[in-house]
């Protein structure tokens, strides 16, 4: 693809998102990403959790959490999965996305959000000047439910502690919950997304922004504009 075609595609996506102008706010010229917090990051290696000055145990690293999951057989989803899909991205990310569960493509590749919904998510991330490598992406459920059915309560209960540990390891500034399922797991509410959207929630030391799931946007593209509004909120929180 030529540069001109790439630019046209990029602008076309902004149009789809409902972007109707260019901000004159100078902060938009800065990249949203904040420098890695290397000095604060959790220890690497297989040392047991140590305690910091405040007596609080340091969270496990992502490697330790992945190691604890192992070849997980904690719930019935293990029987149908091809690959356990842990998470991907920057372990020091300021922005962390939480989806529902892997689909067919993710189960094959072992990476979250690589199918059609994932490609849309990649564009949504790019809309605020970030790349997938700069954020962290995880799901509530790590194994594909058969025929992409909704995850069941026992599956959520065995899997969500690993998501919470991932959140504690990455310690993002902002968590974006994608869709009703992630919102329910994180905020513990059954309220409709349309009621929850537009508000920023305090969550495990981060700011949580609920939004629509990219798979829903593929079916209801008219809601992309709402997601663009949510991305502007995310971006503002990241540069705060
Ligand atoms: N949908 C999700 O919620 N997660 C994925 O990884 C892919 C699709």
């Amino acid at each position: 693809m030529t540069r001109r075609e790439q630019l046209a595609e990029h602008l076309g996506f902004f149009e789809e998102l409902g972007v109707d102008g260019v901000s004159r706010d100078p902060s938009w010229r800065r990249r949203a990403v904040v420098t890695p917090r290397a000095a604060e990051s959790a220890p690497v290696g297989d040392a047991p959790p140590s305690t910091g000055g405040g007596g609080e145990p340091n969270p496990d690293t992502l490697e330790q959490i992945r190691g604890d999951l192992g070849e997980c057989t904690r719930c019935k989803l293990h029987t149908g999965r091809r690959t356990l899909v842990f998470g991907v991205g920057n372990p020091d990310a300021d922005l962390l996305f939480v989806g529902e569960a892997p689909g067919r493509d993710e189960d094959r590749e072992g990476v979250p959000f690589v199918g059609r919904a994932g490609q849309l998510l990649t564009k949504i991330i790019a809309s605020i000047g970030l790349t997938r490598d700069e954020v962290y992406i995880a799901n509530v459920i790590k194994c594909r439910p058969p025929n992409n059915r909704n995850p069941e309560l026992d599956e959520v209960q065995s899997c969500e502690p690993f998501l919470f540990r991932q959140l504690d390891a990455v310690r993002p500034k902002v968590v974006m919950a994608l869709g009703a399922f992630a919102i329910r797991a994180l905020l513990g509410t059954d309220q409709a997304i349309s009621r929850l959207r537009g508000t920023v929630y305090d969550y495990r030391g981060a700011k949580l922004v609920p939004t629509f799931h990219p798979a829903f946007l593929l079916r209801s593209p008219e809601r992309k504009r709402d997601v663009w509004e949510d991305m502007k909120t995310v971006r503002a929180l990241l540069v705060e």
Side-chain angles (χ1 to χ4, degrees), residues 27-47:
S27 70
W28 273 91
R29 276 181 230 128
R30 289 204 307 268
R31 308 240 323 130
V33 74
V34 183
T35 46
R37 299 170 311 237
E40 291 175 40
S41 62
V44 181
D46 50 11

Side-chain angles (χ1 to χ4, degrees), residues 1 7 9 57 81 87 90 174 206:
M1 206 190 275
L7 188 60
E9 190 187 79
R81 72 153 183 257
N90 176 2
V174 182

Side-chain angles (χ1 to χ4, degrees), residues 131-145:
T131 65
R132 283 175 66 109
D133 293 342
E134 290 171 304
V135 304
Y136 193 82
I137 306 174
N139 283 309
V140 178
I141 298 282
K142 309 290 189 242
C143 299
R144 182 192 183 197

Side-chain angles (χ1 to χ4, degrees), residues 6-192:
Q6 279 174 0
L7 188 60
E9 190 187 79
H10 194 66
L11 290 176
F13 179 66
F14 272 105
E15 199 174 13
E16 261 182 62
L17 271 183
V19 179
D20 52 14
V22 177
S23 174
R24 293 190 177 273
D25 178 348
S27 70
W28 273 91
R29 276 181 230 128
R30 289 204 307 268
R31 308 240 323 130
V33 74
V34 183
T35 46
R37 299 170 311 237
E40 291 175 40
S41 62
V44 181
D46 50 11
S50 55
T51 48
E56 286 288 311
N58 280 340
D60 294 328
T61 62
L62 291 170
E63 290 81 2
Q64 286 165 334
I65 301 162
R66 180 65 190 89
D68 288 350
L69 263 166
E71 277 306 302
C72 186
T73 56
R74 290 170 182 80
C75 84
K76 54 191 176 304
L77 292 180
H78 80 275
T79 56
R81 72 153 183 257
R82 192 186 287 199
T83 326
L84 187 152
V85 181
F86 180 64
V88 72
N90 176 2
D92 280 321
D94 284 322
L95 174 57
L96 189 152
F97 290 86
V98 178
E100 178 175 324
R104 191 195 50 191
D105 298 313
E106 292 76 21
D107 179 57
R108 281 208 189 123
E109 294 192 30
V111 179
F113 283 101
V114 289
R116 276 186 72 220
Q119 285 159 22
L120 179 54
L121 178 62
T122 304
K123 288 182 176 177
I124 291 169
I125 294 168
S127 74
I128 57 163
L130 294 175
T131 65
R132 283 175 66 109
D133 293 342
E134 290 171 304
V135 304
Y136 193 82
I137 306 174
N139 283 309
V140 178
I141 298 282
K142 309 290 189 242
C143 299
R144 182 192 183 197
N147 302 318
N148 299 338
R149 68 153 166 76
N150 286 339
E152 293 172 359
L153 187 62
D154 61 308
E155 296 157 0
V156 178
Q157 282 171 345
S158 32
C159 217
E160 67 182 5
F162 293 95
L163 171 68
F164 300 149
R165 287 174 66 191
Q166 285 173 294
L167 283 161
D168 289 344
V170 177
R171 291 205 296 143
K173 277 170 98 169
V174 182
V175 176
M176 195 158 212
L178 302 170
F181 195 83
I183 294 171
R184 196 177 318 136
L186 297 175
L187 291 180
T189 171
D190 275 332
Q191 283 195 50

